[in-house]
């Protein structure tokens, strides 16, 4: 196991047996069948490797497989495409994960061997996937809040413009009328300083709670 400059990336030296197209996106039997196909000398496969040494990179968003000496990228699988990962039940040094092809409706099982890291790798891939999904959910929550703030800002702008129009129609001075809204940059500054965002209009009595 090795660290590199970015602490969000780590790599492991492992042996890559190859990848096999599979009929389902997960399941221990699928892993068994894929390993069996790669280890059977009577089965010819274009993507069968001869225990090629590779670096298996784990990042926040992907699993990359690089050739050991040249660092040539063999495969890259985005974390959302990974649907299964496990250690072979009867071969503890063998592990694999299944990922969806980025441009076609098919799945492949990627098979590796490692005497030291098989169980650790499966655990880390699972943790990376869960962390990605959690961050994706948080980003979605942030996007919803930002969109709500922008919408409310537009509503308050219209309310302020209408109030000014009415005052002008009545011949009243609008110079002392304060804006009833905050612009988007002000709202963003307020939301970054506090766990609450309060809207200043008559129909908003409860602050919007932010949980991030």
């Amino acid at each position: 196991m090795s660290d590199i400059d970015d602490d969000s990336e780590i790599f492991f030296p492992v042996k890559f047996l190859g990848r096999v197209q599979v009929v389902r996106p997960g399941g221990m039997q699928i892993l068994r069948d894929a390993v069996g196909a790669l280890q059977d000398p009577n089965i010819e496969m274009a993507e069968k490797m001869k225990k090629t040494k590779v670096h298996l990179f784990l990042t926040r968003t992907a699993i990359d497989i690089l050739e050991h000496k040249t660092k040539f990228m063999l495969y890259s699988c985005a974390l959302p495409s990974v649907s299964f990962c496990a250690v072979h039940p009867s071969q503890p040094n063998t592990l694999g994960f299944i990922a969806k092809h980025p441009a076609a409706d098919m799945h492949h099982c990627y098979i590796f061997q490692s005497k030291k890291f098989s169980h650790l790798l499966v655990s880390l891939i699972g943790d990376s996937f869960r962390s990605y999904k959690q961050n994706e959910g948080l980003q979605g929550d942030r996007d919803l809040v930002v969109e709500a703030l922008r919408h409310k800002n537009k509503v308050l702008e219209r309310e302020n413009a209408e109030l000014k129009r009415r005052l002008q129609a009545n011949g009243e001075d609008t110079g002392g009328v304060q804006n009833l809204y905050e612009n988007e940059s002000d709202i963003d500054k307020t939301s970054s300083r506090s766990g609450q965002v309060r809207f200043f209009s008559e129909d908003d009595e409860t602050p919007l709670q932010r949980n991030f």
Side-chain angles (χ1 to χ4, degrees):
M1 175 178 176
S2 301
D3 293 328
I4 58 177
D5 292 340
D6 185 348
D7 61 3
S8 66
E9 297 181 350
I10 55 175
F11 72 86
F12 296 82
V14 296
K15 293 179 180 178
F16 183 42
L17 302 187
R19 74 171 189 172
V20 181
Q21 185 175 342
V22 294
V23 296
R24 293 198 305 275
M28 191 62 73
Q29 187 58 48
I30 295 294
L31 175 62
R32 288 194 186 97
D33 293 344
V35 171
L38 287 174
Q39 293 178 341
D40 189 339
N42 297 319
I43 298 179
E44 294 293 332
M45 300 180 64
E47 295 178 288
K48 182 184 292 188
M49 314 292 285
K50 294 183 179 179
K51 295 186 178 180
T52 302
K53 288 185 177 181
V54 298
H55 285 157
L56 187 64
F57 273 81
L58 299 181
T59 74
R60 293 183 184 274
T61 59
I63 303 172
D64 297 333
I65 304 169
L66 278 66
E67 204 278 331
H68 177 70
K69 291 183 179 179
T70 65
K71 302 301 186 292
F72 176 77
M73 178 80 74
L74 298 175
Y75 300 103
S76 180
C77 302
L79 279 178
S81 71
V82 177
S83 54
F84 180 81
C85 184
V87 175
H88 194 286
S90 60
Q91 300 180 34
N93 295 337
T94 303
L95 68 141
F97 68 86
I98 297 175
K100 189 179 185 299
H101 193 281
D105 187 17
M106 64 177 66
H107 292 79
H108 289 91
C109 186
Y110 298 78
I111 308 298
F112 307 88
Q113 280 188 344
S114 175
K115 293 182 179 180
K116 297 180 179 179
F117 304 126
S118 58
H119 288 86
L120 176 60
L121 270 168
V122 168
S123 177
L124 287 176
I125 291 173
D127 290 345
S128 298
F129 179 83
R130 285 186 289 271
S131 176
Y132 178 89
K133 284 299 184 181
Q134 183 179 12
N135 290 336
E136 189 179 54
L138 290 174
Q139 182 60 45
D141 291 341
R142 291 189 183 100
D143 291 343
L144 288 174
V145 171
V146 170
E147 187 62 29
L149 291 172
R150 287 175 177 170
H151 174 73
K152 191 61 183 180
N153 187 53
K154 291 178 181 178
V155 171
L156 294 173
E157 285 178 348
R158 289 196 295 268
E159 290 178 356
N160 187 64
E162 177 64 18
L163 177 58
K164 286 184 177 181
R165 187 189 66 79
R166 291 179 181 178
L167 292 174
Q168 288 173 348
N170 293 331
E172 299 181 23
D173 181 18
T174 61
V177 177
Q178 294 182 344
N179 288 342
L180 299 180
Y181 63 92
E182 297 175 5
N183 61 34
E184 291 185 24
S185 61
D186 291 338
I187 290 176
D188 290 341
K189 291 176 183 177
T190 301
S191 64
S192 66
R193 290 193 301 265
S194 172
Q196 296 181 346
V197 177
R198 184 180 295 278
F199 298 123
F200 297 97
S201 71
E202 296 178 357
D203 56 345
D204 283 317
E205 299 294 335
T206 306
L208 174 65
Q209 299 290 335
R210 298 171 68 248
N211 295 319
F212 55 84

